[in-house]
Amino acid sequence: MSFSERSGSPTVDPGPAVDEPLAAKVIAALRRGGAFLVVGAIGFLVDAGTYNLLVFWGGEGVLYHAPLPAKIIAIAVATVVTYFGNKWWTFAHKKSDNPGREYLLYAVFNVVAIGLQLGCLGFSRYVLDLSSPLSDNISGTLIGQIVAVVFRYWAYDKFVFVDSANQSANDEQHK
């Protein structure tokens, strides 16, 4: 029994919970977006550093004659680093009870994002017939990276790093 019920005072129902103010939502989104970009920049450095160590360390690295496997290794190492950076920093407010599911989806969405980048480059090269270093860097690196980053952030937020409570509620709605 509450104090108001014992004292005979009428209880006032505050109604539905007041939503977080728009400014607080914007600040939280900017913080998460900034953290996501920092984690991505670290991942980029890990990718580039790993690749260059494998291919060019000491003039001819251990994978000098195998640049594609070296790139696959570099991407895999960077993916692990960015997964934990995003899990523990960018999306730390979302708790999951299934890390295996998280990492599998994270890897799948990274493959899709790589495809988006390659699609931008391929469109520029084979549809628009642009093949200069400038056009390749604008389409593949700049535009492709922007498209991939936006996609990754959306996919990670909606599908990868989800609260266990929200995931259970979504599962119940789809039954």
Side-chain angles (χ1 to χ4, degrees):
M1 184 180 281
S2 71
F3 172 76
S4 59
E5 290 172 334
R6 283 186 299 221
S7 66
S9 310
T11 324
V12 177
D13 180 12
V18 178
D19 283 343
E20 190 177 5
L22 180 61
K25 288 181 181 180
V26 169
I27 290 169
L30 289 173
R31 283 186 181 146
R32 278 192 307 275
F36 183 75
L37 292 175
V38 168
V39 169
I42 292 168
F44 175 80
L45 293 173
V46 168
D47 179 354
T50 303
Y51 178 80
N52 282 292
L53 283 173
L54 291 171
V55 176
F56 299 114
W57 189 24
E60 288 189 13
V62 295
L63 293 176
Y64 181 78
H65 295 290
L68 295 180
K71 189 61 174 173
I72 291 168
I73 292 167
I75 289 171
V77 171
T79 299
V80 170
V81 169
T82 58
Y83 170 77
F84 286 107
N86 281 314
K87 180 177 180 62
W88 293 335
W89 188 25
T90 308
F91 299 104
H93 63 287
K94 295 185 176 189
K95 303 297 178 200
S96 173
D97 56 358
N98 193 345
R101 177 196 161 278
E102 265 183 6
Y103 195 74
L104 177 65
L105 287 175
Y106 191 86
V108 166
F109 286 123
N110 270 303
V111 169
V112 172
I114 290 167
L116 289 171
Q117 276 186 269
L118 293 175
C120 290
L121 178 60
F123 181 80
S124 172
R125 275 282 180 130
Y126 303 115
V127 175
L128 300 178
D129 201 29
L130 300 171
S131 60
S132 71
L134 179 62
S135 64
D136 278 3
N137 280 292
I138 288 173
S139 63
T141 304
L142 182 64
I143 296 171
Q145 191 68 269
I146 290 169
V147 170
V149 164
V150 169
F151 169 76
R152 281 183 177 115
Y153 185 80
W154 170 81
Y156 297 167
D157 187 48
K158 294 295 177 198
F159 301 107
V160 178
F161 299 108
V162 294
D163 283 324
S164 296
N166 289 346
Q167 187 178 356
S168 298
N170 287 341
D171 290 346
E172 288 299 317
Q173 285 178 348
H174 292 108
K175 284 185 178 178

